[in-house]
Amino acid sequence: MMELVATEEGGVRWRDRRIPNERGFVRMDHHPNLESAMSAAEALNPTLVGALAARNLPEVDRVSLGLKVQKALQSRKRLDEEEALMLAEAVRRHRETPRQAPDQLKLHTEAEPYREALALELDTYPYLRMAFVHTAGRSVVLYRDANDLWSKPYYAGEKSAVSAMRARIANGFKFHQDQHWGRVKAQIRAELLPRANQLLQLASVQRMLAEALARGERVLVSNGIVFWYEPDGQLGWMVKSTTSDKGEDGATLWREGTILSTNHGRLVVLPYVKEGGELVRGHTKNGPGDGRATPRHPLHYVEIPFRELKGDLMIGLFGELPYE
């Protein structure tokens, strides 16, 4: 479990959550699975919000700290949703990849106790080059070489465990799990855009967009992908991508607001609030190397509100599940 703590300088940072014990020491807050951790966090967070509200702070500092907390939580949530979308697409791309029975796996002799656990992991993620497995109370990582031989087990410390979790995404797109994670995800985002364009052909997505347009919604956003309605020139619905202000791993800290589009750029900068409270209105632009975005005539400038789709809905669309 991680917790967000206030710093002496008035900022916030994430750290491992520490729980005092009866002997005056502290222990890390470990959970056996994500569901248990999420349940514990949902129970704990209201008490932390109350503690923040009760702090003896000047009002301007209280508002500033509250905004920083909100931004940090949204940033982490958006990262989780984006990586869940990428993981779903990695798994989808390998639906037809052959699976090996446990007795077909080639293992180092010391990895033999992990044969069944590794086979179970590969049944979901057959493309892995690095795998995290847990059995008999011990967590280890295994590596696959060019000859499909799995290595001896190595203790899964925090760094290697994180790499193994990233491998579930990176290896599915033919990237190495130890490459710069921000750059890997940027390249995966670029690969997902053509896939998002394919979504426009699905009847379920067409229905969703038709319903949105009937409600007067012309911009829908989810996990770096934007469904954008362009009435001029009979273009209709198209897909754009988001770009970000500064944030962890390129994550953007958006807030409610509108987008003022003065050009036909392929990137959408969504509105956000700076730490000082300044509102930054959204806009459109081109990316590096694209050249100058084609400007709109001033009479055709459009100021558009946007709605954010839930991350799990976008994952469902990518998995071609029925829209509900």
Side-chain angles (χ1 to χ4, degrees):
M1 182 77 74
M2 304 289 291
E3 61 185 3
L4 191 66
V5 298
T7 65
E8 293 182 359
E9 296 77 21
V12 294
R13 66 179 179 88
W14 290 101
R15 73 175 184 191
D16 294 330
R17 176 167 167 75
R18 305 177 179 102
I19 303 175
N21 62 20
E22 61 279 0
R23 295 189 298 168
F25 298 103
V26 295
R27 64 176 177 85
M28 310 302 282
D29 188 6
H30 287 290
H31 293 264
N33 52 57
L34 179 61
E35 291 73 22
S36 170
M38 292 294 290
S39 178
E42 289 173 4
L44 175 64
N45 281 339
T47 66
L48 299 180
V49 171
L52 176 60
R55 292 187 66 174
N56 184 20
L57 293 172
E59 184 60 22
V60 64
D61 292 341
R62 186 191 312 279
V63 171
S64 175
L65 186 58
L67 180 58
K68 290 173 183 176
V69 168
Q70 184 183 14
K71 290 174 71 173
L73 291 173
Q74 285 203 357
S75 173
R76 187 58 65 101
K77 180 181 178 182
R78 291 176 198 283
L79 282 172
D80 288 345
E81 290 183 347
E82 178 184 66
E83 291 180 7
L85 172 62
M86 292 177 174
L87 179 61
E89 175 62 7
V91 170
R92 187 200 69 83
R93 290 184 175 204
H94 292 270
R95 285 182 302 195
E96 306 303 323
T97 299
R99 270 64 170 173
Q100 288 182 298
D103 60 0
Q104 295 176 320
L105 297 174
K106 296 190 293 183
L107 302 179
H108 188 283
T109 54
E110 294 181 29
E112 194 60 45
Y114 302 97
R115 181 178 291 275
E116 294 291 336
L118 176 61
L120 189 62
E121 180 79 353
L122 294 176
D123 188 57
T124 304
Y125 314 107
Y127 48 83
L128 287 179
R129 311 303 301 180
M130 177 185 186
F132 176 94
V133 293
H134 180 88
T135 187
R138 186 170 183 237
S139 297
V140 302
V141 291
L142 305 170
Y143 298 87
R144 175 158 45 176
D145 67 17
N147 297 316
D148 286 337
L149 173 66
W150 287 91
S151 71
K152 67 179 183 180
Y154 294 90
Y155 169 72
E158 181 177 351
K159 184 175 181 180
S160 61
V162 168
S163 291
M165 293 299 100
R166 290 177 174 178
R168 292 179 175 179
I169 296 174
N171 295 171
F173 292 89
K174 299 182 179 179
F175 293 107
H176 193 278
Q177 64 273 358
D178 291 333
Q179 289 179 252
H180 186 283
W181 190 230
R183 295 191 192 108
V184 166
K185 292 210 298 183
Q187 294 181 69
I188 292 175
R189 289 187 202 106
E191 286 193 32
L192 290 182
L193 275 180
R195 175 91 174 106
N197 273 302
Q198 294 174 16
L199 295 179
L200 295 178
Q201 309 305 316
L202 295 178
S204 58
V205 178
Q206 291 175 1
R207 174 186 166 189
M208 178 190 74
L209 297 177
E211 291 174 354
L213 195 58
R215 294 191 298 266
E217 297 172 349
R218 291 167 53 189
V219 179
L220 305 178
V221 178
S222 179
N223 294 331
I225 294 170
V226 181
F227 293 102
W228 177 284
Y229 186 77
E230 189 74 54
D232 294 336
Q234 303 299 312
L235 294 177
W237 286 101
M238 64 182 66
V239 170
K240 294 178 182 282
S241 63
T242 59
T243 185
S244 64
D245 67 313
K246 295 179 181 178
E248 182 182 357
D249 266 350
T252 307
L253 313 172
W254 306 127
R255 294 295 182 272
E256 295 180 358
T258 58
I259 301 163
L260 177 65
S261 179
T262 63
N263 57 53
H264 296 278
R266 68 174 181 86
L267 300 177
V268 180
V269 180
L270 297 171
Y272 61 98
V273 178
K274 291 185 176 180
E275 288 187 1
E278 178 187 352
L279 299 175
V280 180
R281 187 159 54 180
H283 55 279
T284 52
K285 69 175 187 177
N286 272 352
D290 291 342
R292 185 169 178 265
T294 304
R296 298 180 188 272
H297 188 280
L299 295 177
H300 294 164
Y301 286 0
V302 287
E303 187 169 5
I304 313 171
F306 70 95
R307 182 168 71 90
E308 211 168 359
L309 301 175
K310 290 184 178 180
D312 54 359
L313 173 60
M314 182 56 69
I315 292 170
L317 294 176
F318 264 68
E320 300 182 0
L321 299 176
Y323 167 64
E324 296 179 351

